[in-house]
Amino acid sequence: MELPIVLADTEDTSVINMIVSDSGAGKSLFSSVLVKHLLENYPDLVVVWADLEYSNVISKQRNIDQLLEEYKDRFFMITPEIVMALREAKNNVNHKTTASVVIRSIEKIQEGTQKRVFCIIDSLEDFLEDTSNDTETKRHLFRMLSMRGITFMINHHVNKDSSKTTAFRFRGSMVLKAKTTSMLFITKKVQEDDLTVAMELLVAKIRTAYKPVDKLTIRFDTTTWDIKDVELASDIEEMKILRSL
């Protein structure tokens, strides 16, 4: 399966991917599908989901609990309860923000497993205290990018101004946009039949030798969370416009 998400190699510095959309458009749904795909197809990869919007009901609906049991040595969840407990720990004086706790937890997991790590941060608003604060954003991003063999995928909400085009609806510090390796916008989610959802994504940015792609549609089964197919589309003129943003 081809997706414009860049995975870091073991000795590489980390890379940051970003999934952006309106609230409720399907970022966490996309994350659920991606988690299962990565666990099944990349045995050298550990998946960490910092689900800072965690819901026990949704977790059960999307078979997350089953994946945690099946891949207990390779799949880890960081929930708000875990973050709060670590932030309040008396001996944890250097990690009092959510971002620092999550980053340190990822480091510990990598140290314990000695594998490449794919980490989903859901969502940016819960990860950073202030998404428009350049100083705070740079501090955490630079620390993330200095790590080795870790791929981050950050889920983020777009600007609420629907009059803007999708590519311009990003909100928060522009440092984020500059430091991401790939940025995907979820533009459409369609229930094609009782079992199949099709999700359309716009490729707003990708910094790699990947072949020119500006859109992709991913179809998946909503009972098994298996990916059925991925369609890639390319429009050279549109790509030129996106790259100029």
Side-chain angles (χ1 to χ4, degrees), residues 14-53:
S14 296
V15 297
I16 297 176
N17 304 274
M18 186 170 288
I19 305 293
V20 189
S21 77
D22 291 308
S23 179
K27 292 184 296 297
S28 296
L29 187 62
F30 180 82
S31 299
S32 300
V33 174
L34 188 59
V35 163
K36 184 174 184 185
H37 176 79
L38 291 172
L39 289 170
E40 289 183 343
N41 293 279
Y42 293 83
D44 66 329
L45 202 65
V46 167
V47 178
V48 180
W49 192 342
D51 190 350
L52 306 176
E53 299 177 340

Side-chain angles (χ1 to χ4, degrees), residues 127-138:
F127 180 68
L128 295 177
E129 306 294 329
D130 181 358
T131 59
S132 62
N133 184 322
D134 283 352
T135 301
E136 181 193 2
T137 301
K138 284 181 180 178

